[in-house]
Amino acid sequence: MLQKLRRLELPPPKVLALISAVFVSFLLLEGYLILHYGFSLPPPGFSWFDLLFWAALVFWSVRVEIRLPLSASMSHLFLFALALVVLTPPWFAPLWVFLFQSSGNRWYKQLFNRSQDALATLAAALVWQFFQANPFILGTFNLSSGAGISLASVTFFAINISLMTLVIHLASGTPIREIWRKNYGWLVASYFLLSPFALLMAQAYKTPLIGGWGGWTILFFLVPLYYSRFYWDEKVRLEQAFDTTLEVLMHALEAKERETRLHSERVADIASDIARALYQDEAKAQEIYRAARLHDIGKIGIPEALLLKPDKLTPEEYRIVQSHTTKGAELLKPAEKVAFGPVVYNVILHHHERWDGRGYPKELAGHEIPEEARIVGLADAYEAMTAGRPYRPAKSSEEALNEIQSLSGIQFDPKLVKLFTQLWHANPIWRDREAYLKAKEGPLSRSTWPQPYSESASPSPSEPNPRTLGE
């Protein structure tokens, strides 16, 4: 027995503490409700067959869940939980939700999923009971049921999603805002549109329409509910398809020019460090990191002969190379409403603008340039200077820092230059390019999203066109 306990797999301490707190909270509140309302199986108005029927519905709803991108899932469990809240005493629905979920995960994941769903159901039951005890009447209309199920749905959703988001954050370190955006933000509308089905199912079960048993109506409801899950499934698949497409594009860009390595990943690391120091917001830093990874995606549409040309570019050729900013924004435009926010497009389009207004493509100046683009533009310049190009040797880290400082207020935002200088003196891994490459090219080095790709042999952002034109 002692050996089995030693072999028992445990989650990280913070995660275990959260799971324990959720489980204990459920037990204490469930115990209180049982003492307050009295325990009897089956509860008033239910038979043993009813108990088995609703247990099967709870079990089925979890079995047909949709896997979400960041270690989570979504199912129609909330509808059956809310229907039970309407039909039974407050202690019953949480208990059934806890007992009759399907298993298969590690023990601590099972315990957390059961406990947090049960706790969310319990809170929803208390909200419903409040409106039954305190009728909400507007004129001649009794709105208690509508208001009760609406606020019970909000309560269930808020607790369920908050706990899921928190445990993912503690387990993986993923920013809370990113977990919400990727997993749940797009589900809100469909969740609340479906919530009234819970009240309809409860009413249909109490007043049978077919064959003298309300379960027939519930089974009829399962058909549209089952197919509604395909909306969620297709949305997740679409996002995964976009991620895969981006990986393919970045691998294709990397294949076009092998001379530079891990350019975009180093730019992203520098930019996210600047953003983290500037905003003190991990979610914002991660958002800028992802945008920086994509900043040169438009070079997939630039002829390879120009990207790899070791000689001077003509003014026309340089104009074509400059067009990678607009091409990148156009390339990702179809994904604007489903995959990317404005930060990504601002970075792709404006990371070559200059503080003095002599950049491209729109010759924006100063604070007209989106701040995220100014951050990535500075990071891009430092990386390009220290990487070298076929037409010029790489600068040392100290030389690149001096050039960044000399261009403060000319090419770069002075506030960002000051912040960058402070970070540089803290000796981050990205300061020295060779050290960075050695660290990143180990067996566990590559970032998981998106896959790294390389920068082209285009001019450094600090040089308008060093092959053809002077300042």
Side-chain angles (χ1 to χ4, degrees):
M1 182 68 179
L2 185 59
Q3 289 181 342
K4 289 183 178 180
L5 289 174
R6 287 173 178 171
R7 290 198 302 266
L8 186 66
E9 185 179 359
L10 294 175
K14 290 182 180 179
V15 176
L16 182 59
L18 176 62
I19 294 172
S20 301
V22 174
F23 177 59
V24 170
S25 298
F26 161 66
L27 288 181
L28 292 175
L29 290 171
E30 181 69 8
Y32 168 78
L33 290 180
I34 288 173
L35 289 174
H36 184 75
Y37 288 92
F39 180 83
S40 65
L41 280 181
F46 264 40
S47 67
W48 286 103
F49 179 76
D50 293 321
L51 298 187
L52 292 175
F53 177 71
W54 284 95
L57 290 176
V58 169
F59 182 86
W60 172 84
S61 68
V62 177
R63 292 292 294 177
V64 295
E65 66 187 8
I66 299 296
R67 302 303 301 174
L68 299 176
L70 297 178
S71 304
S73 62
M74 185 68 180
S75 73
H76 286 116
L77 171 66
F78 71 98
L79 290 176
F80 302 114
L82 291 173
L84 279 175
V85 161
V86 175
L87 290 167
T88 60
W91 59 265
F92 180 80
L95 182 62
W96 241 231
V97 166
F98 181 85
L99 290 177
F100 291 103
Q101 292 196 32
S102 60
S103 301
N105 291 320
R106 294 181 176 90
W107 70 268
Y108 55 85
K109 290 185 178 181
Q110 290 184 40
L111 181 62
F112 175 77
N113 288 334
R114 291 169 183 262
S115 300
Q116 62 90 11
D117 282 333
L119 190 60
T121 304
L122 191 150
L126 292 177
V127 171
W128 173 260
Q129 286 298 317
F130 174 83
F131 278 93
Q132 300 311 298
N134 301 275
F136 178 48
I137 298 174
L138 189 62
T140 58
F141 298 99
N142 188 339
L143 303 179
S144 301
S145 293
I149 201 66
S150 297
L151 289 178
S153 300
V154 171
T155 302
F156 185 101
F157 183 83
I159 293 176
N160 177 257
I161 299 306
S162 296
L163 291 174
M164 284 299 302
T165 300
L166 182 57
V167 77
I168 294 171
H169 172 69
L170 292 176
S172 67
T174 306
I176 288 175
R177 186 183 299 176
E178 179 65 11
I179 298 169
W180 168 262
R181 185 185 72 82
K182 293 284 285 186
N183 275 354
Y184 306 117
W186 57 275
L187 280 171
V188 175
S190 62
Y191 176 92
F192 288 115
L193 285 173
L194 284 172
S195 293
F197 269 90
L199 187 58
L200 291 174
M201 285 193 293
Q203 295 298 330
Y205 200 75
K206 287 193 294 187
T207 55
L209 301 176
I210 305 172
W213 178 52
W216 296 117
T217 309
I218 301 298
L219 292 175
F220 176 78
F221 274 125
L222 294 187
V223 177
L225 287 179
Y226 180 78
Y227 282 99
S228 72
R229 71 185 288 278
F230 285 105
Y231 163 74
W232 299 340
D233 192 32
E234 287 304 311
K235 178 65 172 63
V236 173
R237 289 175 183 272
L238 183 60
E239 292 231 8
Q240 291 173 339
F242 274 118
D243 289 349
T244 302
T245 301
L246 288 174
E247 287 186 26
V248 171
L249 289 172
M250 287 183 281
H251 282 305
L253 182 59
E254 185 177 41
K256 291 180 74 169
E257 44 172 338
R258 298 181 181 276
E259 287 78 5
T260 55
R261 298 173 296 165
L262 298 179
H263 165 78
S264 65
E265 190 166 352
R266 188 172 176 227
V267 170
D269 282 336
I270 298 170
S272 63
D273 276 359
I274 297 172
R276 193 173 290 107
L278 179 64
Y279 300 113
Q280 300 295 309
D281 184 339
E282 182 62 29
K284 184 71 172 178
Q286 289 298 316
E287 189 176 22
I288 289 177
Y289 174 88
R290 288 176 174 82
R293 291 298 308 277
L294 298 168
H295 76 282
D296 271 341
I297 194 68
K299 287 183 178 176
I300 199 73
I302 304 300
E304 190 171 338
L306 296 185
L307 294 178
L308 301 179
K309 184 177 179 180
D311 303 321
K312 290 182 178 180
L313 293 174
T314 67
E316 177 60 21
E317 288 173 334
Y318 185 54
R319 185 191 65 78
I320 294 173
V321 171
Q322 286 180 318
S323 71
H324 77 276
T325 56
T326 53
K327 287 182 183 294
E330 291 168 3
L331 181 67
L332 299 187
K333 190 68 175 176
E336 184 174 14
K337 293 183 179 180
V338 292
F340 303 116
V343 169
V344 170
Y345 294 93
N346 286 340
V347 165
I348 292 173
L349 190 61
H350 297 299
H351 68 278
H352 282 300
E353 303 285 3
R354 292 169 53 107
W355 188 257
D356 61 9
R358 293 193 298 143
Y360 63 87
K362 297 186 179 297
E363 297 184 346
L364 302 181
H367 293 286
E368 294 177 336
I369 308 167
E371 192 164 53
E372 54 267 22
R374 284 179 260 153
I375 291 171
V376 175
L378 193 158
D380 188 31
Y382 180 80
E383 207 292 319
M385 291 177 201
T386 54
R389 293 295 182 262
Y391 51 86
R392 61 161 173 78
K395 292 179 170 65
S396 69
S397 300
E398 290 75 14
E399 289 171 334
L401 175 64
N402 290 335
E403 183 166 349
I404 293 287
Q405 292 172 330
S406 68
L407 291 167
S408 177
I410 301 172
Q411 181 174 342
F412 306 114
D413 181 343
K415 176 182 67 177
L416 297 181
V417 171
K418 182 178 180 180
L419 193 56
F420 175 83
T421 301
Q422 294 172 356
L423 292 171
W424 188 93
H425 283 295
N427 195 26
I429 186 63
W430 48 256
R431 189 174 93 170
D432 181 86
R433 193 169 194 271
E434 290 307 313
Y436 182 86
L437 293 180
K438 288 178 182 178
K440 286 290 181 176
E441 291 185 334
L444 299 176
S445 61
R446 297 300 181 95
S447 173
T448 57
W449 191 97
Q451 292 297 315
Y453 66 102
S454 298
E455 159 78 341
S456 75
S458 62
S460 161
S462 64
E463 306 165 50
N465 187 354
R467 309 192 220 184
T468 60
L469 303 173
E471 288 280 326

